[in-house]
Amino acid sequence: MTDSIRFLLCAPDHYNVDYVINPWMEGNIHKSSSDRSVEQWYKLHKIIKEHAIVDLVTPQKGWPDMVFTANAGLVLANTVVLSRFFHKERQGEEPHFKEWFLNQGFIVHELPKDLPFEGAGDALLDREGRYLWAGYGFRSELDSHPLLAKWLDIEVLSLRLIDERFYHLDTCFCPLTGGYLLYYPPAFDSYSNRLIEMRVPSEKRILVAEADAVNFACNAVNINKTIIMNKVSDDLKLGLTTVGFLVIETPLSEFLKAGGAAKCLTLRVTEPIIPDNKAKVLVESRTIRMEGHLLDAGLINQALDLIVEGGGSFKVLNFNLGEQRQSTSLAEVKVSTPSHEVMEEIMSQLIDIGAVIPTEDVQDAKLEPIKQNGVAPDDFYVTTIYPTEVRIKGQWIRVQNQRMDGAIAITEVDGYIQAKCKVIRDLQIGEQAIIDIAGIRTIRKTESREKRNQEEFSFMSAGVSSERRVELVVEQVAWELRQIHDRGGKVVVTAGPVVIHTGGSKHLASLIHQGYVQALLGGNAIAVHDIEQSLMGTSLGVDMTQGVAVHGGHRHHLKTINIIRRCGSIAKAVENDVLTNGVMYECVKNNVPFVLAGSIRDDGPLPDTQMDLIKAQEEYAELLKGADMVLMLSTMLHSIGVGNMTPSGVKMVCVDINPAVVTKLSDRGSVESIGVVTDVGLFLSLLITQLEQLTRPYSFVAKV
Ligand code: ARG
C-alpha cells in the first residue's frame, strides 16, 4: 500500500438510474440492481484499499449520481476547483462535496454560476505532473479552462469531445504512469488528436478500439503500475502488460448503466504539485459584434453553430432584439477557442458571415510582402464573394475586383493605397498580401424579411420540382430577364451540351436573338453539338427530331469540327453561309461575345476554343464584368468556374436535372441564387413562352 495516495469514494446507498443525462442512462431508468451495485462497489473499494487510502464522503438521499466522486471537483495539492454541474439533476451534489473539501482543509475555488465544469471527470493530470488535459464539448465549458490554469498554476491543454457516448474526458482518455496514455481517438476532434500526438510520443500512446472503449476501458484507475478497470479484451490487457502494467479487472456493469465505471467512482485527492509548473493556457477569447435580421435570417444560429462546429465555444454578452419587423438586432458574442489556430479559422468564417470586431478592438490589417511572383504568404486571407474592406493605417479601404478564393493584394503608389482581389498566380513582387484576419470586414446587405422570404420561397420551390413550382420560378426568372433587358443590363449564360441534347438549342438561340443574352460561356462541346445539329440535324449522332441514332452518326461531331476548322472559325463559317442557324450562329450574328474554355477530353478542338486555361479563366472573368444575372444551364464545371469569379449581388439561376448539382451551385450562402431542378430543354421552352406572354400586347388577349 502506498500511504501517500488517497482516493475519495462515496458508497452507493442511494445509487440508482433515476433520470437520463447521458446516452448510457437511456432505457436504464430504475434498471440497476441495488444488491449487485453494492457488491460491485465494495469489490472496487477493496481493491483500491489494497493500493491506497480510501476517504469517504457521506452519500445523500436524492442525489443518486453522487457515487461518481470524480465529478466532485479537481484537486491539485491542497487546492480544489469545485464542479459546477451542467445538469440540474446533479447540481445538488455541489454543497456536499464542498463541505467535505472544506472540512479537509482544502483551498476551495468556485467557478461562476453559469460556467459548467465537471471536475476530474473532465480534467486529468498528466501522470508526470507536467500539464492538465481538460475536456470540453458536453459537460464542461471551454471558458473554465483559463480559470483552472490560473488557480492551479499549471499548463492546460484543451481537448474537444465530439462523441456523446464519451461525454466526459475520463470516459475516453486515461493518462498513465511513465507518460503512457490510454485513449480512444475517435472521441476527439482532429485538432485535439493532433495536440495529443504532439504531446505524447507514439510509443507511449495506447489506442483503445471501440469495443473496449464502450466497456469503459479508458475509465481506469491508475496507481503506479497498477490499472484497475472494468473487464477488457485480452488484446488490450496484453498491450498494457507488455509495457509493464498490472491489470486488475473488476465488474462494474451496474454503474455502466449510469455511464460510469472505475475512474468515475473515485477521485484521487493527493495530487502532488510539480515545482516548476507555470500557468499557461492556449485558450483564446475574442468578442465579435453582429447586426442585422439576426433571428429572422437565422444569422445568429449560423454564427453560433459555426463557432461550436469549429471547436470553439461562445457566450452571448448582449443581445438587443429589434422589436419592429423591419428593425435589426444587435448581438455581442464572446468567442473562445482552444488555440490561436482555431480562433483564426473560426473568426475568418464569422467575418465571412458579416461579424465585425468591435471598434475598440479593431486593428489594422496585417500585410506581408510577396516574395515570389504567383505565390502568396502561407497565412494569406482567402477572399469570399462578399464586398470586403480592409483597414490600413487606420482607414477602411474597399477591396476591388471582389471574387472568392483569392488573396487581397495591397499596393501603395504616391501614398495612395489600393486593395485588390487577385488569384494567387497573379500576385507580384512589390505587392503586399493581407495575412491573418485582423482588420478585415465583409459587408452584408440586410434584406428585408419580405424580400428574403420571397427569395427563399423560390429556392425551396425550385428544389421540390413539381411542375407548377418550376413554372413559378420560370415566371420569376422571365420577369427579371425582361427587366434587365429593358434597362440595358447584362445577362451571362453558361451552357453545357445537355442544352442541345434536350432540345433546348432553338430556345437558347431565340433568347440570344431577342437580346436577352449579353455573353455566352461554355466549353468546346456546347459549340460542337450546337453546330452539329445545325449542319447535320444530329447531336452526338442522335437525330434530334426522331430521337434515334443515325447510321454512321457517331462521326458527325468530328466532321463538324473538321468543317469549322476548314473555315477558320465559327464566325467565318457564319460569314461563308456554312453555318446558318443555332446558338453559335445567333451569337455571331448578334455580336454576343462567347468564350469556349477547352478541356482534356475535347475533340478537335474548334478553332475558337481556348485551350490555354489560364487565358480562358481571364476571358471568362472579362465577360462576367458588370453582369446582373448569370443563367447556368446544365454545366457544373463551367458554372462552378463562374461562381468562383462572381461577387455577391449578381443573381444566379442554376438549372440542372441533378439536384446535387443545383444545391452545390446555389449554395453560396447568399440569397441571390435560385436553383431549379428540371430538364434544361423544358426550362428554356417554358422561359421562351413566358417571355412571349410578357411582351404580347394586352389587346391580343382574346375576349369571349
Ligand atoms: N450519470 C453520471 C453523469 O452523467 C455519470 C458520471 C460519470 N462520471 C465520470 N467522471 N465520467 O453525470
Side-chain angles (χ1 to χ4, degrees), residues 212-243:
D212 276 320
V214 295
N215 271 326
F216 274 61
C218 299
N219 199 249
V221 180
N222 172 219
I223 307 173
N224 301 324
K225 280 287 181 182
T226 305
I227 301 178
I228 306 155
M229 63 207 317
N230 185 42
K231 63 172 189 340
V232 282
S233 70
D234 291 343
D235 280 354
L236 182 55
K237 224 184 304 170
L238 183 67
L240 288 167
T241 15
T242 316
V243 292

PDB file of all heavy atoms in Angstrom, residues 212-243:
ATOM      1  N   ASP A 212     -13.592  -2.010 -26.700  1.00  0.00           N
ATOM      2  CA  ASP A 212     -13.117  -1.786 -25.333  1.00  0.00           C
ATOM      3  C   ASP A 212     -13.582  -0.431 -24.815  1.00  0.00           C
ATOM      4  O   ASP A 212     -13.943  -0.299 -23.646  1.00  0.00           O
ATOM      5  CB  ASP A 212     -11.582  -1.855 -25.280  1.00  0.00           C
ATOM      6  CG  ASP A 212     -11.084  -3.297 -25.148  1.00  0.00           C
ATOM      7  OD1 ASP A 212     -11.719  -4.065 -24.393  1.00  0.00           O
ATOM      8  OD2 ASP A 212     -10.078  -3.647 -25.804  1.00  0.00           O
ATOM      9  N   ALA A 213     -13.586   0.556 -25.726  1.00  0.00           N
ATOM     10  CA  ALA A 213     -13.976   1.905 -25.302  1.00  0.00           C
ATOM     11  C   ALA A 213     -15.394   1.907 -24.726  1.00  0.00           C
ATOM     12  O   ALA A 213     -15.655   2.535 -23.707  1.00  0.00           O
ATOM     13  CB  ALA A 213     -13.867   2.884 -26.460  1.00  0.00           C
ATOM     14  N   VAL A 214     -16.305   1.156 -25.374  1.00  0.00           N
ATOM     15  CA  VAL A 214     -17.691   1.146 -24.875  1.00  0.00           C
ATOM     16  C   VAL A 214     -17.840   0.296 -23.609  1.00  0.00           C
ATOM     17  O   VAL A 214     -18.880   0.327 -22.967  1.00  0.00           O
ATOM     18  CB  VAL A 214     -18.717   0.702 -25.959  1.00  0.00           C
ATOM     19  CG1 VAL A 214     -18.756   1.699 -27.096  1.00  0.00           C
ATOM     20  CG2 VAL A 214     -18.425  -0.696 -26.458  1.00  0.00           C
ATOM     21  N   ASN A 215     -16.795  -0.441 -23.256  1.00  0.00           N
ATOM     22  CA  ASN A 215     -16.781  -1.111 -21.952  1.00  0.00           C
ATOM     23  C   ASN A 215     -16.064  -0.263 -20.912  1.00  0.00           C
ATOM     24  O   ASN A 215     -15.679  -0.747 -19.865  1.00  0.00           O
ATOM     25  CB  ASN A 215     -16.093  -2.471 -22.055  1.00  0.00           C
ATOM     26  CG  ASN A 215     -17.089  -3.558 -22.416  1.00  0.00           C
ATOM     27  OD1 ASN A 215     -18.248  -3.488 -22.006  1.00  0.00           O
ATOM     28  ND2 ASN A 215     -16.647  -4.539 -23.185  1.00  0.00           N
ATOM     29  N   PHE A 216     -15.849   0.978 -21.248  1.00  0.00           N
ATOM     30  CA  PHE A 216     -15.219   1.951 -20.353  1.00  0.00           C
ATOM     31  C   PHE A 216     -13.778   1.584 -19.982  1.00  0.00           C
ATOM     32  O   PHE A 216     -13.329   1.836 -18.867  1.00  0.00           O
ATOM     33  CB  PHE A 216     -16.080   2.170 -19.096  1.00  0.00           C
ATOM     34  CG  PHE A 216     -17.147   3.214 -19.311  1.00  0.00           C
ATOM     35  CD1 PHE A 216     -18.126   3.023 -20.277  1.00  0.00           C
ATOM     36  CD2 PHE A 216     -17.166   4.399 -18.580  1.00  0.00           C
ATOM     37  CE1 PHE A 216     -19.107   3.992 -20.501  1.00  0.00           C
ATOM     38  CE2 PHE A 216     -18.141   5.370 -18.804  1.00  0.00           C
ATOM     39  CZ  PHE A 216     -19.108   5.160 -19.763  1.00  0.00           C
ATOM     40  N   ALA A 217     -13.053   1.011 -20.968  1.00  0.00           N
ATOM     41  CA  ALA A 217     -11.661   0.634 -20.716  1.00  0.00           C
ATOM     42  C   ALA A 217     -10.817   1.837 -20.316  1.00  0.00           C
ATOM     43  O   ALA A 217      -9.873   1.717 -19.537  1.00  0.00           O
ATOM     44  CB  ALA A 217     -11.069  -0.024 -21.955  1.00  0.00           C
ATOM     45  N   CYS A 218     -11.148   3.012 -20.859  1.00  0.00           N
ATOM     46  CA  CYS A 218     -10.346   4.195 -20.537  1.00  0.00           C
ATOM     47  C   CYS A 218     -10.702   4.759 -19.165  1.00  0.00           C
ATOM     48  O   CYS A 218     -10.005   5.598 -18.633  1.00  0.00           O
ATOM     49  CB  CYS A 218     -10.540   5.282 -21.592  1.00  0.00           C
ATOM     50  SG  CYS A 218     -10.044   4.753 -23.231  1.00  0.00           S
ATOM     51  N   ASN A 219     -11.817   4.318 -18.631  1.00  0.00           N
ATOM     52  CA  ASN A 219     -12.256   4.822 -17.332  1.00  0.00           C
ATOM     53  C   ASN A 219     -11.587   4.000 -16.232  1.00  0.00           C
ATOM     54  O   ASN A 219     -12.234   3.295 -15.452  1.00  0.00           O
ATOM     55  CB  ASN A 219     -13.786   4.745 -17.246  1.00  0.00           C
ATOM     56  CG  ASN A 219     -14.334   5.647 -16.174  1.00  0.00           C
ATOM     57  OD1 ASN A 219     -14.839   5.186 -15.162  1.00  0.00           O
ATOM     58  ND2 ASN A 219     -14.233   6.941 -16.376  1.00  0.00           N
ATOM     59  N   ALA A 220     -10.252   4.068 -16.210  1.00  0.00           N
ATOM     60  CA  ALA A 220      -9.470   3.196 -15.340  1.00  0.00           C
ATOM     61  C   ALA A 220      -8.788   3.996 -14.236  1.00  0.00           C
ATOM     62  O   ALA A 220      -8.485   5.170 -14.403  1.00  0.00           O
ATOM     63  CB  ALA A 220      -8.418   2.487 -16.178  1.00  0.00           C
ATOM     64  N   VAL A 221      -8.575   3.319 -13.110  1.00  0.00           N
ATOM     65  CA  VAL A 221      -7.832   3.953 -12.009  1.00  0.00           C
ATOM     66  C   VAL A 221      -6.393   3.456 -12.090  1.00  0.00           C
ATOM     67  O   VAL A 221      -6.148   2.258 -12.084  1.00  0.00           O
ATOM     68  CB  VAL A 221      -8.435   3.563 -10.634  1.00  0.00           C
ATOM     69  CG1 VAL A 221      -7.649   4.220  -9.506  1.00  0.00           C
ATOM     70  CG2 VAL A 221      -9.901   3.946 -10.570  1.00  0.00           C
ATOM     71  N   ASN A 222      -5.478   4.393 -12.194  1.00  0.00           N
ATOM     72  CA  ASN A 222      -4.077   4.011 -12.317  1.00  0.00           C
ATOM     73  C   ASN A 222      -3.336   4.403 -11.047  1.00  0.00           C
ATOM     74  O   ASN A 222      -3.309   5.565 -10.661  1.00  0.00           O
ATOM     75  CB  ASN A 222      -3.476   4.713 -13.543  1.00  0.00           C
ATOM     76  CG  ASN A 222      -1.970   4.545 -13.647  1.00  0.00           C
ATOM     77  OD1 ASN A 222      -1.270   5.471 -14.015  1.00  0.00           O
ATOM     78  ND2 ASN A 222      -1.469   3.369 -13.319  1.00  0.00           N
ATOM     79  N   ILE A 223      -2.783   3.405 -10.363  1.00  0.00           N
ATOM     80  CA  ILE A 223      -1.961   3.695  -9.191  1.00  0.00           C
ATOM     81  C   ILE A 223      -0.596   3.084  -9.461  1.00  0.00           C
ATOM     82  O   ILE A 223      -0.462   1.863  -9.531  1.00  0.00           O
ATOM     83  CB  ILE A 223      -2.574   3.105  -7.901  1.00  0.00           C
ATOM     84  CG1 ILE A 223      -4.044   3.565  -7.746  1.00  0.00           C
ATOM     85  CG2 ILE A 223      -1.746   3.507  -6.686  1.00  0.00           C
ATOM     86  CD1 ILE A 223      -4.788   2.900  -6.605  1.00  0.00           C
ATOM     87  N   ASN A 224       0.374   3.919  -9.678  1.00  0.00           N
ATOM     88  CA  ASN A 224       1.709   3.479 -10.092  1.00  0.00           C
ATOM     89  C   ASN A 224       1.594   2.533 -11.291  1.00  0.00           C
ATOM     90  O   ASN A 224       1.061   2.917 -12.314  1.00  0.00           O
ATOM     91  CB  ASN A 224       2.462   2.865  -8.921  1.00  0.00           C
ATOM     92  CG  ASN A 224       2.595   3.886  -7.794  1.00  0.00           C
ATOM     93  OD1 ASN A 224       2.763   5.080  -8.071  1.00  0.00           O
ATOM     94  ND2 ASN A 224       2.466   3.451  -6.564  1.00  0.00           N
ATOM     95  N   LYS A 225       2.011   1.258 -11.115  1.00  0.00           N
ATOM     96  CA  LYS A 225       1.993   0.365 -12.278  1.00  0.00           C
ATOM     97  C   LYS A 225       0.710  -0.482 -12.339  1.00  0.00           C
ATOM     98  O   LYS A 225       0.588  -1.401 -13.149  1.00  0.00           O
ATOM     99  CB  LYS A 225       3.240  -0.525 -12.263  1.00  0.00           C
ATOM    100  CG  LYS A 225       4.476   0.208 -12.787  1.00  0.00           C
ATOM    101  CD  LYS A 225       4.354   0.355 -14.290  1.00  0.00           C
ATOM    102  CE  LYS A 225       5.521   1.037 -14.940  1.00  0.00           C
ATOM    103  NZ  LYS A 225       5.319   1.199 -16.391  1.00  0.00           N
ATOM    104  N   THR A 226      -0.217  -0.199 -11.432  1.00  0.00           N
ATOM    105  CA  THR A 226      -1.455  -0.977 -11.405  1.00  0.00           C
ATOM    106  C   THR A 226      -2.585  -0.214 -12.100  1.00  0.00           C
ATOM    107  O   THR A 226      -2.709   0.997 -11.938  1.00  0.00           O
ATOM    108  CB  THR A 226      -1.863  -1.261  -9.937  1.00  0.00           C
ATOM    109  OG1 THR A 226      -0.761  -1.881  -9.298  1.00  0.00           O
ATOM    110  CG2 THR A 226      -3.095  -2.142  -9.859  1.00  0.00           C
ATOM    111  N   ILE A 227      -3.377  -0.946 -12.882  1.00  0.00           N
ATOM    112  CA  ILE A 227      -4.536  -0.323 -13.523  1.00  0.00           C
ATOM    113  C   ILE A 227      -5.772  -1.115 -13.130  1.00  0.00           C
ATOM    114  O   ILE A 227      -5.853  -2.326 -13.347  1.00  0.00           O
ATOM    115  CB  ILE A 227      -4.398  -0.320 -15.061  1.00  0.00           C
ATOM    116  CG1 ILE A 227      -3.131   0.450 -15.465  1.00  0.00           C
ATOM    117  CG2 ILE A 227      -5.610   0.310 -15.717  1.00  0.00           C
ATOM    118  CD1 ILE A 227      -2.882   0.455 -16.962  1.00  0.00           C
ATOM    119  N   ILE A 228      -6.748  -0.403 -12.556  1.00  0.00           N
ATOM    120  CA  ILE A 228      -7.973  -1.070 -12.113  1.00  0.00           C
ATOM    121  C   ILE A 228      -9.094  -0.659 -13.058  1.00  0.00           C
ATOM    122  O   ILE A 228      -9.323   0.537 -13.272  1.00  0.00           O
ATOM    123  CB  ILE A 228      -8.314  -0.663 -10.659  1.00  0.00           C
ATOM    124  CG1 ILE A 228      -7.099  -0.945  -9.758  1.00  0.00           C
ATOM    125  CG2 ILE A 228      -9.565  -1.365 -10.163  1.00  0.00           C
ATOM    126  CD1 ILE A 228      -7.039  -0.091  -8.517  1.00  0.00           C
ATOM    127  N   MET A 229      -9.767  -1.625 -13.638  1.00  0.00           N
ATOM    128  CA  MET A 229     -10.786  -1.297 -14.637  1.00  0.00           C
ATOM    129  C   MET A 229     -11.856  -2.371 -14.757  1.00  0.00           C
ATOM    130  O   MET A 229     -11.700  -3.476 -14.251  1.00  0.00           O
ATOM    131  CB  MET A 229     -10.118  -1.058 -16.004  1.00  0.00           C
ATOM    132  CG  MET A 229      -9.417  -2.277 -16.544  1.00  0.00           C
ATOM    133  SD  MET A 229      -8.024  -1.975 -17.686  1.00  0.00           S
ATOM    134  CE  MET A 229      -8.582  -0.704 -18.733  1.00  0.00           C
ATOM    135  N   ASN A 230     -12.940  -1.998 -15.419  1.00  0.00           N
ATOM    136  CA  ASN A 230     -13.992  -2.950 -15.769  1.00  0.00           C
ATOM    137  C   ASN A 230     -13.359  -3.968 -16.731  1.00  0.00           C
ATOM    138  O   ASN A 230     -12.241  -3.775 -17.193  1.00  0.00           O
ATOM    139  CB  ASN A 230     -15.128  -2.166 -16.436  1.00  0.00           C
ATOM    140  CG  ASN A 230     -16.338  -3.013 -16.737  1.00  0.00           C
ATOM    141  OD1 ASN A 230     -16.742  -3.831 -15.928  1.00  0.00           O
ATOM    142  ND2 ASN A 230     -16.920  -2.815 -17.912  1.00  0.00           N
ATOM    143  N   LYS A 231     -14.061  -5.015 -17.099  1.00  0.00           N
ATOM    144  CA  LYS A 231     -13.436  -6.042 -17.943  1.00  0.00           C
ATOM    145  C   LYS A 231     -12.991  -5.478 -19.305  1.00  0.00           C
ATOM    146  O   LYS A 231     -13.648  -4.589 -19.858  1.00  0.00           O
ATOM    147  CB  LYS A 231     -14.382  -7.223 -18.136  1.00  0.00           C
ATOM    148  CG  LYS A 231     -15.660  -6.892 -18.868  1.00  0.00           C
ATOM    149  CD  LYS A 231     -16.397  -8.185 -19.159  1.00  0.00           C
ATOM    150  CE  LYS A 231     -17.586  -8.075 -20.067  1.00  0.00           C
ATOM    151  NZ  LYS A 231     -18.292  -6.896 -20.337  1.00  0.00           N
ATOM    152  N   VAL A 232     -11.847  -5.984 -19.767  1.00  0.00           N
ATOM    153  CA  VAL A 232     -11.317  -5.529 -21.060  1.00  0.00           C
ATOM    154  C   VAL A 232     -10.936  -6.712 -21.937  1.00  0.00           C
ATOM    155  O   VAL A 232     -10.854  -7.842 -21.468  1.00  0.00           O
ATOM    156  CB  VAL A 232     -10.047  -4.662 -20.909  1.00  0.00           C
ATOM    157  CG1 VAL A 232     -10.389  -3.273 -20.486  1.00  0.00           C
ATOM    158  CG2 VAL A 232      -9.033  -5.303 -19.994  1.00  0.00           C
ATOM    159  N   SER A 233     -10.650  -6.432 -23.195  1.00  0.00           N
ATOM    160  CA  SER A 233     -10.262  -7.504 -24.121  1.00  0.00           C
ATOM    161  C   SER A 233      -8.859  -8.015 -23.790  1.00  0.00           C
ATOM    162  O   SER A 233      -8.048  -7.294 -23.203  1.00  0.00           O
ATOM    163  CB  SER A 233     -10.274  -6.971 -25.549  1.00  0.00           C
ATOM    164  OG  SER A 233      -9.216  -6.063 -25.717  1.00  0.00           O
ATOM    165  N   ASP A 234      -8.587  -9.247 -24.211  1.00  0.00           N
ATOM    166  CA  ASP A 234      -7.261  -9.815 -23.973  1.00  0.00           C
ATOM    167  C   ASP A 234      -6.202  -9.010 -24.698  1.00  0.00           C
ATOM    168  O   ASP A 234      -5.090  -8.823 -24.200  1.00  0.00           O
ATOM    169  CB  ASP A 234      -7.224 -11.274 -24.454  1.00  0.00           C
ATOM    170  CG  ASP A 234      -8.095 -12.152 -23.549  1.00  0.00           C
ATOM    171  OD1 ASP A 234      -8.411 -11.697 -22.429  1.00  0.00           O
ATOM    172  OD2 ASP A 234      -8.470 -13.272 -23.985  1.00  0.00           O
ATOM    173  N   ASP A 235      -6.549  -8.532 -25.873  1.00  0.00           N
ATOM    174  CA  ASP A 235      -5.584  -7.745 -26.654  1.00  0.00           C
ATOM    175  C   ASP A 235      -5.099  -6.532 -25.879  1.00  0.00           C
ATOM    176  O   ASP A 235      -3.906  -6.262 -25.800  1.00  0.00           O
ATOM    177  CB  ASP A 235      -6.246  -7.233 -27.947  1.00  0.00           C
ATOM    178  CG  ASP A 235      -6.274  -8.316 -29.003  1.00  0.00           C
ATOM    179  OD1 ASP A 235      -5.679  -9.391 -28.740  1.00  0.00           O
ATOM    180  OD2 ASP A 235      -6.888  -8.083 -30.067  1.00  0.00           O
ATOM    181  N   LEU A 236      -6.069  -5.802 -25.337  1.00  0.00           N
ATOM    182  CA  LEU A 236      -5.705  -4.580 -24.628  1.00  0.00           C
ATOM    183  C   LEU A 236      -4.915  -4.912 -23.367  1.00  0.00           C
ATOM    184  O   LEU A 236      -3.920  -4.263 -23.040  1.00  0.00           O
ATOM    185  CB  LEU A 236      -6.962  -3.765 -24.284  1.00  0.00           C
ATOM    186  CG  LEU A 236      -6.704  -2.433 -23.583  1.00  0.00           C
ATOM    187  CD1 LEU A 236      -5.753  -1.551 -24.381  1.00  0.00           C
ATOM    188  CD2 LEU A 236      -8.007  -1.680 -23.332  1.00  0.00           C
ATOM    189  N   LYS A 237      -5.349  -5.986 -22.691  1.00  0.00           N
ATOM    190  CA  LYS A 237      -4.645  -6.393 -21.474  1.00  0.00           C
ATOM    191  C   LYS A 237      -3.186  -6.719 -21.805  1.00  0.00           C
ATOM    192  O   LYS A 237      -2.262  -6.287 -21.127  1.00  0.00           O
ATOM    193  CB  LYS A 237      -5.335  -7.633 -20.881  1.00  0.00           C
ATOM    194  CG  LYS A 237      -5.498  -7.522 -19.377  1.00  0.00           C
ATOM    195  CD  LYS A 237      -6.084  -8.774 -18.750  1.00  0.00           C
ATOM    196  CE  LYS A 237      -7.423  -9.171 -19.349  1.00  0.00           C
ATOM    197  NZ  LYS A 237      -7.876 -10.482 -18.916  1.00  0.00           N
ATOM    198  N   LEU A 238      -3.028  -7.439 -22.916  1.00  0.00           N
ATOM    199  CA  LEU A 238      -1.684  -7.818 -23.338  1.00  0.00           C
ATOM    200  C   LEU A 238      -0.856  -6.568 -23.637  1.00  0.00           C
ATOM    201  O   LEU A 238       0.297  -6.440 -23.196  1.00  0.00           O
ATOM    202  CB  LEU A 238      -1.775  -8.709 -24.591  1.00  0.00           C
ATOM    203  CG  LEU A 238      -0.438  -9.242 -25.094  1.00  0.00           C
ATOM    204  CD1 LEU A 238       0.157 -10.224 -24.090  1.00  0.00           C
ATOM    205  CD2 LEU A 238      -0.606  -9.921 -26.456  1.00  0.00           C
ATOM    206  N   GLY A 239      -1.488  -5.624 -24.341  1.00  0.00           N
ATOM    207  CA  GLY A 239      -0.794  -4.376 -24.669  1.00  0.00           C
ATOM    208  C   GLY A 239      -0.311  -3.673 -23.413  1.00  0.00           C
ATOM    209  O   GLY A 239       0.824  -3.180 -23.347  1.00  0.00           O
ATOM    210  N   LEU A 240      -1.160  -3.661 -22.402  1.00  0.00           N
ATOM    211  CA  LEU A 240      -0.808  -2.956 -21.168  1.00  0.00           C
ATOM    212  C   LEU A 240       0.263  -3.705 -20.369  1.00  0.00           C
ATOM    213  O   LEU A 240       1.175  -3.096 -19.824  1.00  0.00           O
ATOM    214  CB  LEU A 240      -2.065  -2.745 -20.310  1.00  0.00           C
ATOM    215  CG  LEU A 240      -3.046  -1.697 -20.858  1.00  0.00           C
ATOM    216  CD1 LEU A 240      -4.390  -1.780 -20.143  1.00  0.00           C
ATOM    217  CD2 LEU A 240      -2.471  -0.291 -20.735  1.00  0.00           C
ATOM    218  N   THR A 241       0.132  -5.040 -20.345  1.00  0.00           N
ATOM    219  CA  THR A 241       1.141  -5.809 -19.593  1.00  0.00           C
ATOM    220  C   THR A 241       2.499  -5.726 -20.277  1.00  0.00           C
ATOM    221  O   THR A 241       3.529  -5.669 -19.610  1.00  0.00           O
ATOM    222  CB  THR A 241       0.743  -7.294 -19.408  1.00  0.00           C
ATOM    223  OG1 THR A 241      -0.316  -7.597 -20.319  1.00  0.00           O
ATOM    224  CG2 THR A 241       0.276  -7.569 -18.014  1.00  0.00           C
ATOM    225  N   THR A 242       2.482  -5.714 -21.606  1.00  0.00           N
ATOM    226  CA  THR A 242       3.748  -5.637 -22.341  1.00  0.00           C
ATOM    227  C   THR A 242       4.549  -4.406 -21.934  1.00  0.00           C
ATOM    228  O   THR A 242       5.767  -4.453 -21.863  1.00  0.00           O
ATOM    229  CB  THR A 242       3.480  -5.584 -23.868  1.00  0.00           C
ATOM    230  OG1 THR A 242       2.500  -6.548 -24.161  1.00  0.00           O
ATOM    231  CG2 THR A 242       4.729  -5.834 -24.665  1.00  0.00           C
ATOM    232  N   VAL A 243       3.861  -3.295 -21.669  1.00  0.00           N
ATOM    233  CA  VAL A 243       4.622  -2.109 -21.260  1.00  0.00           C
ATOM    234  C   VAL A 243       4.732  -1.989 -19.735  1.00  0.00           C
ATOM    235  O   VAL A 243       5.029  -0.925 -19.194  1.00  0.00           O
ATOM    236  CB  VAL A 243       4.066  -0.804 -21.892  1.00  0.00           C
ATOM    237  CG1 VAL A 243       4.305  -0.797 -23.386  1.00  0.00           C
ATOM    238  CG2 VAL A 243       2.582  -0.611 -21.582  1.00  0.00           C
TER     239      VAL A 243
END
